Amino acid sequence: MSTESALTIKLKLNNGIEAPAIALGTYNSEGLQPKVKDAVKAAVKGGYRHIDTAWIYGTETYIGEALAELFAEGVVKREDLFITTKVWPTHWNDPSKSIDESLKRLGIDYLDLVLQHWPLTFKVDADGNPLMNDGQFVPDDGDYLDTWKKLIALYKKDNKKIRSIGVSNYTIPYLERLLKETDIVPVVNQVELHPSLPQVDLVKFSKDHGILTEAFSPLGSRGAPLLKLPIVETLAKKYDASPAEILINYHVKSGRLAAPRSINTERLAKGFNSVPLTADDLKSLDQEGIDHPKRYVNMGFAKSVGYENWSEDKP
Ligand SMILES: NC(=O)c1ccc[n+]([C@@H]2O[C@H](COP(=O)([O-])OP(=O)(O)OC[C@H]3O[C@@H](n4cnc5c(N)ncnc54)[C@H](OP(=O)(O)O)[C@@H]3O)[C@@H](O)[C@H]2O)c1
């Protein structure tokens, strides 16, 4: 098997900027966020060059601490890294504030990519904090596309502070409206994507319009259930690779980005080898989810967007 690292693969965005195809996912549940500091340090030392975070994850501060140490130790410079963060729907009307808060916590002065986290708007309270009702975000009556328009204005004003803008959790009808009503094509649409949810129509539509698709939850989210899919195990045996390497190469060999998450520093230090999956292998992986679709991220607040293969059993 090839021992070439898949972490060096880069993809060109529609604005000419290159992004490392594999990003370190940094969502972590309550209590685990501080572990992200060591995870980022191990990942960067292991060869990761792209970090995916979000205002809502509560991990930006720990990433900032890791970056400060990595820069001070001379492991990497700011320009060696590609850093993505996202604007949560409570900031739908003021993404600039969210971006400034993210930059401050990360301890950096520019972002490589800012994503609109969901095509939704949520209310804030009098102090500007998320308004919650029974632990749930409260929908606002704003237009989600206003957030994208404001991101365009910020990008046009200063593309050194925000080098690229993109979206997340957009479906085809949402992308169609965005393309019709605004004049910047998102560089990326980050969506749940893996062999159990191959989203072939969305991926093709995006490709046809110059939008790169980025896979979130590429291992099936918590507990990485997709490592046990028979087709993944079969391909892992065929290529003498790990199941995680098959799941990640499924994206990068298809010209997509992927954001796998881990806080296991041993795993992070190992990275992912490049696996020469063939067009037929990629087709078999797609076929798994065409035949047996399963979505793992079914957040209640997002149901109104109208995603396919929504499971009511999940929180
Ligand atoms: N845009 C959005 O709305 C959105 C939504 C969800 C996620 N995301 C992004 O996508 C990232 C990844 O998605 P995710 O966090 O849902 O999950 P994921 O990457 O599919 O899976 C994470 C799980 O896999 C485990 N894992 C990782 N590598 C493994 C390996 N080699 N062997 C066994 N287990 C392994 C991790 O445990 P250990 O930590 O113990 O390794 C963790 O439990 C997020 O962190 C976030 O950055 C974005």
Side-chain angles (χ1 to χ4, degrees):
M1 194 194 72
S2 147
T3 48
E4 190 196 333
S5 172
L7 293 171
T8 58
I9 298 170
K10 288 187 175 180
L11 295 173
K12 197 172 252 186
L13 309 178
N14 67 27
N15 61 358
I17 290 176
E18 285 195 326
I22 301 174
L24 173 68
T26 63
Y27 164 79
N28 266 282
S29 45
E30 205 60 40
L32 287 179
Q33 290 107 328
K35 294 198 178 290
V36 169
K37 177 180 174 184
D38 284 345
V40 168
K41 289 192 76 178
V44 171
K45 287 180 181 173
Y48 284 77
R49 290 294 178 264
H50 183 165
I51 297 163
D52 180 82
T53 186
W55 180 89
I56 195 74
Y57 298 168
T59 54
E60 289 174 325
T61 303
Y62 305 108
I63 296 169
E65 289 172 6
L67 294 178
E69 291 182 18
L70 288 163
F71 297 156
E73 289 166 20
V75 179
V76 281
K77 297 197 276 297
R78 169 66 185 94
E79 58 268 32
D80 299 326
L81 298 178
F82 189 98
I83 301 177
T84 301
T85 195
K86 313 185 190 85
V87 174
W88 190 246
T90 41
H91 286 109
W92 70 270
N93 203 20
D94 191 6
S96 174
K97 183 166 175 257
S98 169
I99 290 165
D100 285 343
E101 287 178 8
S102 291
L103 284 168
K104 203 166 158 205
R105 279 196 284 258
L106 289 162
I108 53 177
D109 53 14
Y110 70 89
L111 287 156
D112 296 281
L113 176 58
V114 174
L115 302 178
Q116 179 185 5
H117 208 146
W118 293 86
L120 292 165
T121 64
F122 296 151
K123 286 190 171 152
V124 286
D125 64 18
D127 299 322
N129 297 316
L131 182 67
M132 306 301 284
N133 182 10
D134 245 352
Q136 301 296 316
F137 293 100
V138 179
D140 206 343
D141 50 13
D143 181 355
Y144 69 87
L145 203 57
D146 282 352
T147 311
W148 179 245
K149 291 177 185 164
K150 285 171 195 265
L151 285 177
I152 290 179
L154 292 169
Y155 173 67
K156 285 186 176 172
K157 191 170 140 207
D158 189 354
N159 69 0
K160 293 204 170 53
K161 179 171 168 184
I162 302 170
R163 294 182 76 218
S164 326
I165 51 174
V167 295
S168 178
N169 295 300
Y170 268 56
T171 59
I172 293 176
Y174 281 69
L175 285 177
E176 279 173 334
R177 179 178 170 220
L178 179 153
L179 293 170
K180 203 165 139 215
E181 296 183 28
T182 65
D183 64 354
I184 294 261
V185 177
V187 295
V188 155
N189 182 24
Q190 186 184 99
V191 294
E192 180 174 344
L193 187 62
H194 42 66
S196 290
L197 197 69
Q199 308 233 45
V200 274
D201 294 343
L202 178 63
V203 168
K204 182 176 183 318
F205 178 92
S206 302
K207 196 171 178 193
D208 290 348
H209 291 86
I211 304 167
L212 278 183
T213 302
E214 177 167 6
F216 75 64
S217 305
L219 309 174
S221 205
R222 186 186 309 202
L226 298 174
L227 297 173
K228 298 253 176 312
L229 267 186
I231 173 72
V232 172
E233 288 184 327
T234 302
L235 289 170
K237 262 195 206 121
K238 173 175 166 189
Y239 290 103
D240 190 18
S242 70
E245 283 167 335
I246 300 300
L247 289 167
I248 298 311
N249 277 271
Y250 166 57
H251 300 294
V252 299
K253 292 289 147 68
S254 305
R256 300 191 291 261
L257 299 110
R261 158 172 68 102
S262 181
I263 47 169
N264 179 314
T265 51
E266 271 170 44
R267 282 205 247 283
L268 290 166
K270 270 197 226 142
F272 299 100
N273 283 333
S274 178
V275 180
L277 295 173
T278 64
D280 281 347
D281 296 331
L282 298 174
K283 253 196 206 154
S284 327
L285 288 161
D286 279 346
Q287 198 59 44
E288 165 67 30
I290 293 169
D291 295 340
H292 309 288
K294 182 166 171 62
R295 185 182 289 272
Y296 286 90
V297 178
N298 301 275
M299 322 270 214
F301 65 75
K303 194 181 169 193
S304 65
V305 180
Y307 298 105
E308 285 177 350
N309 310 120
W310 192 266
S311 162
E312 295 292 344
D313 309 333
K314 301 279 278 188

